[in-house]
Amino acid sequence: MPETVLVFDLETVPDLAAVARVHGLDPDDTDGARAKLGGGFPKLIYHAIVCIGALIAERMDEAWQVRALGAPHIGERSEAQLIIDFAARLDQLRPQLVSFNGHGFDLPVIRYRALVHGIAAPGLTARPYYRRYDEAGLDLCDVLANHDARGRIGLDALCRAMGLQGKPEGLDGGGVAELVAQGRLQDVAAYCQADLIATYRIFLAYEHLRGKLSPVGYNRSIADLDAFRARTGATYRDAITAFPVEAPTPSHAA
């Protein structure tokens, strides 16, 4: 069975309804909820997921090949359904989960939001994704900083330092809420996909750094990514459902 990685990323907006419930406010009092939320970074429980992006790749012949790339969003299905579908894909594939700051943000947010919606998502524990030092859930931000907050660097800065394309100019995670308010969910999905591609490039570089990819394998993996993007036009696709039908479904008894 080929190795599989699933690079993932979330886009979120403040959940003012949850803020109101916590503070006993009228559900329609959005101004009051915003005041309670404050101007800092919201606690993780207050992040409503609007998009879950995924890039799925398989290791074949000593190189990685991209199989699917996409970012389904709340314009297509509910937040709860996004989580259910994402967890179901993890349950089916049991991939290595790769992220950038996934342990600090994405993974706990998904678990909190599953609790908020009261849904079952056993795929989130199909492998020990929540163990910080287990590579079943590889957080590149955490690992590269040697699990020390003092050594952390942002995704955009790291990409640019490495000579790679970073985030789209003039946009970061803080701008997602405005895009959602404007109904520009496809732009949110495109932004999420850009982060996925950047994270995947860093993953390939990290695999090369520690000798798990030869120089030839690394170059072939990069060439495959470029060819995939050229072939698909890097257009929106749903990696949560658009995966080869012949992909094996591992047994939990394994």
Side-chain angles (χ1 to χ4, degrees):
M1 182 188 303
E3 294 179 66
T4 303
V5 296
L6 190 153
V7 182
F8 85 109
D9 184 50
L10 305 182
E11 302 303 335
T12 67
V13 297
D15 183 356
L16 297 180
V19 176
R21 290 195 299 272
V22 168
H23 292 281
L25 303 177
D26 186 301
D28 296 325
D29 186 5
T30 57
D31 289 339
R34 289 186 190 281
K36 289 292 186 181
L37 197 60
F41 190 73
K43 292 183 181 295
L44 299 188
I45 193 69
Y46 298 141
H47 286 261
I49 298 170
V50 297
C51 179
I52 301 181
L55 180 153
I56 299 172
E58 287 184 339
R59 182 160 177 146
M60 304 287 291
D61 300 325
E62 303 305 317
W64 288 96
Q65 297 180 7
V66 179
R67 295 304 191 196
L69 168 66
H73 54 71
I74 58 170
E76 303 164 335
R77 66 196 84 165
S78 68
E79 179 190 22
Q81 195 62 50
L82 286 173
I83 297 169
I84 290 169
D85 291 345
F86 178 72
R89 181 56 84 202
L90 296 184
D91 200 33
Q92 179 195 34
L93 299 176
R94 303 186 76 186
Q96 180 182 31
L97 202 53
V98 177
S99 64
F100 201 89
N101 195 34
H103 281 300
F105 181 76
D106 304 79
L107 280 170
V109 166
I110 286 180
R111 188 152 56 180
Y112 278 134
R113 298 308 294 181
L115 287 170
V116 166
H117 290 290
I119 60 177
L124 296 178
T125 54
R127 291 179 62 182
Y129 296 128
Y130 287 87
R131 292 182 191 170
R132 186 178 188 184
Y133 304 109
D134 193 308
E135 290 202 350
L138 178 63
D139 179 348
L140 291 165
C141 180
D142 202 21
V143 167
L144 291 173
N146 202 32
H147 310 287
D148 188 332
R150 295 171 298 180
R152 290 190 170 206
I153 187 171
L155 177 62
D156 185 59
L158 178 57
C159 285
R160 293 179 186 276
M162 294 172 62
L164 304 175
Q165 182 177 349
K167 292 179 178 289
E169 290 291 342
L171 184 61
D172 59 24
V176 168
E178 183 176 350
L179 291 178
V180 173
Q182 296 172 359
R184 296 168 58 187
L185 289 166
Q186 285 296 92
D187 289 337
V188 173
Y191 169 73
C192 187
Q193 287 189 169
D195 275 0
L196 293 171
I197 292 168
T199 301
Y200 182 61
R201 287 186 183 277
I202 293 171
F203 166 73
L204 294 177
Y206 179 60
E207 292 291 274
H208 179 237
L209 168 71
R210 59 180 178 166
K212 294 191 71 173
L213 268 181
S214 69
V216 171
Y218 173 72
N219 288 332
R220 284 177 53 201
S221 300
I222 291 293
D224 172 80
L225 171 63
D226 292 340
F228 178 89
R229 296 183 68 193
R231 187 168 65 251
T232 63
T235 54
Y236 173 79
R237 296 179 64 192
D238 182 354
I240 303 304
T241 57
F243 194 77
V245 294
E246 66 271 15
T249 302
S251 168
H252 284 286

